Amino acid sequence: MKTSFVSNLAVQNAMRLTLQQSQLELMKLQQEMTTGVYADTGTALGSTTSRSINLRTELDRLKNIKDTNALATQRLSASQGALTTMRDSVQQIRSQLISAKGTEDKGKLDTAHTTFVNQMSAFTAAANTQFNNEYVFSGINSDVRPLTDYSAGSPAKAAYDTALANFQAANGNVQLKDFTPAQMNDFIKNSLEPMFLGSGWQGTWSQASDQNIQTRIGPSEVIETSSNTNTTGVRQFMMAAVISLELMKPELSTAARDTALSAAQDHLESGLTGIIQMGAQIGVSEGRIKSSNSSIDNQVKLINTHILDIEGVDPTETSSRLTALKTQIEISYTLTARIQELSLINYL
């Protein structure tokens, strides 16, 4: 009969390996108790893992849409703030036009002229508002400054000066101070209106695109989330401002000046209506984004519930396994300590 011997070192190594595996399992169970879901979803779910992956992919997509909505909302909010400034400029010019009607007081006319200059600059600055380094009224040309400044040397000023010079030449080199009401009306109708309300606007006065930014605000909903300076409201205001600035000077006859003033008032009212409509359209977009975000929040809650149903652990079962494993590890520690005490010296 042959006797085989097993060293206590071999037993200790076997116990050490078992202890390491138990500690790893303990860490996994502790994680599951804390998070409420499987530590290793793939191992736990097997073939049903694809359902969890699909749900999490949809969850990420909805979160990305909501992040995009946040940027769109901020851009629309910046646009609304700019439109408020633009409406204020319209109101300021309107007040000055009313007070200047029929007056021959050079002081009043000079004051009105100063107001026209300042408010036209304020309007242009507001129309060139930027958010996140993008111009909010440039349409899809968001990297291009949309509205041209009306100042000496600018394309807009040069276009006006050319139109005036051409009209004067066509009418016997008539000077501006000698314009009759009929000539003033002719100049405004046939020289200025095509410049602002026709094809002359694009490229000279505005660099914006007619096409606005489109944003997907929901899984199946795409809306416009910007505006542009090619709208009728902006065109009408700029025409009214230029008429007020250039054609209501003290040296003109009262009749010619009043003709220009009436034209400016008409275009200003149309401009105000158009700018209010721009604000209303932006407000509609803001409302649709808000509704979409509420819908996305509800979908996210529903998907999270489904994910928890698939990946969630039974807390009672996990707690029982955790307690049993702790007991097992404590026993392993005790056995290991006793095995380490075995030696031939102690036997002898």
Side-chain angles (χ1 to χ4, degrees), residues 28-39 308 311-313:
K28 186 180 76 171
L29 290 174
Q30 287 175 330
Q31 179 182 341
E32 290 179 352
M33 282 295 295
T34 301
T35 62
V37 297
Y38 294 116
L308 188 59
E311 299 181 358
V313 299

Side-chain angles (χ1 to χ4, degrees), residues 90-103 112 116 184-185 188-189 193 233 235-245 247-248 256-274:
V90 175
Q91 298 289 3
Q92 291 291 331
I93 291 181
R94 175 201 264 174
S95 297
Q96 287 299 325
L97 288 176
I98 293 173
S99 65
K101 189 172 182 64
T103 185
F116 299 150
M184 180 65 74
N185 187 65
I188 291 172
K189 290 290 184 182
E193 282 193 6
R235 293 178 183 227
Q236 293 276 14
F237 169 82
M238 291 300 291
M239 182 171 176
V242 169
I243 291 173
S244 302
L245 188 66
L247 302 177
M248 289 185 57
R257 192 167 55 245
D258 283 349
T259 299
L261 186 148
S262 296
Q265 286 179 320
D266 290 342
H267 289 290
L268 196 66
E269 293 301 325
S270 297
L272 180 59
T273 299

Side-chain angles (χ1 to χ4, degrees), residues 167-181:
F167 181 83
Q168 289 173 320
N171 287 270
N173 293 320
V174 61
Q175 297 299 304
L176 184 61
K177 64 183 180 61
D178 297 322
F179 270 29
T180 65

Side-chain angles (χ1 to χ4, degrees), residues 57-248:
T57 299
E58 179 64 14
L59 193 63
D60 289 340
R61 187 170 77 97
L62 292 175
K63 289 181 177 178
N64 287 336
I65 290 175
K66 195 167 181 184
D67 289 341
T68 302
N69 286 354
L71 290 175
T73 298
Q74 292 172 352
R75 181 168 60 246
L76 291 172
S77 178
S79 300
Q80 289 285 29
L83 285 173
T84 298
T85 301
M86 293 159 74
R87 287 195 298 270
D88 289 343
S89 294
V90 175
Q91 298 289 3
Q92 291 291 331
I93 291 181
R94 175 201 264 174
S95 297
Q96 287 299 325
L97 288 176
I98 293 173
S99 65
K101 189 172 182 64
T103 185
E104 289 293 332
D105 188 331
K106 186 177 182 301
K108 284 186 177 181
L109 291 174
D110 287 342
T111 299
H113 183 272
T114 300
T115 299
F116 299 150
V117 172
N118 293 338
Q119 295 308 317
M120 193 175 186
S121 296
F123 185 96
T124 302
N128 291 328
T129 294
Q130 284 183 287
F131 165 74
N132 200 24
N133 294 323
E134 295 181 345
Y135 292 100
V136 300
F137 292 116
S138 283
I140 60 174
N141 294 345
S142 56
D143 59 336
V144 178
R145 185 180 175 90
L147 196 60
T148 303
D149 290 321
Y150 189 75
S151 57
S154 70
K157 176 62 173 170
Y160 171 81
D161 290 341
T162 299
L164 178 61
N166 290 340
F167 181 83
Q168 289 173 320
N171 287 270
N173 293 320
V174 61
Q175 297 299 304
L176 184 61
K177 64 183 180 61
D178 297 322
F179 270 29
T180 65
Q183 288 174 322
M184 180 65 74
N185 187 65
D186 184 19
F187 176 60
I188 291 172
K189 290 290 184 182
N190 299 312
S191 295
L192 295 187
E193 282 193 6
M195 186 189 306
F196 290 91
L197 306 182
S199 59
W201 173 262
Q202 194 83 19
T204 301
W205 298 84
S206 173
Q207 309 301 319
S209 169
D210 290 332
Q211 184 178 350
N212 293 323
I213 295 173
Q214 302 275 331
T215 303
R216 181 174 295 279
I217 64 169
S220 59
E221 186 175 10
V222 178
I223 65 171
E224 289 187 352
T225 54
S226 74
S227 188
N228 63 79
T229 54
N230 296 330
T231 59
T232 301
V234 176
R235 293 178 183 227
Q236 293 276 14
F237 169 82
M238 291 300 291
M239 182 171 176
V242 169
I243 291 173
S244 302
L245 188 66
E246 299 287 357
L247 302 177
M248 289 185 57

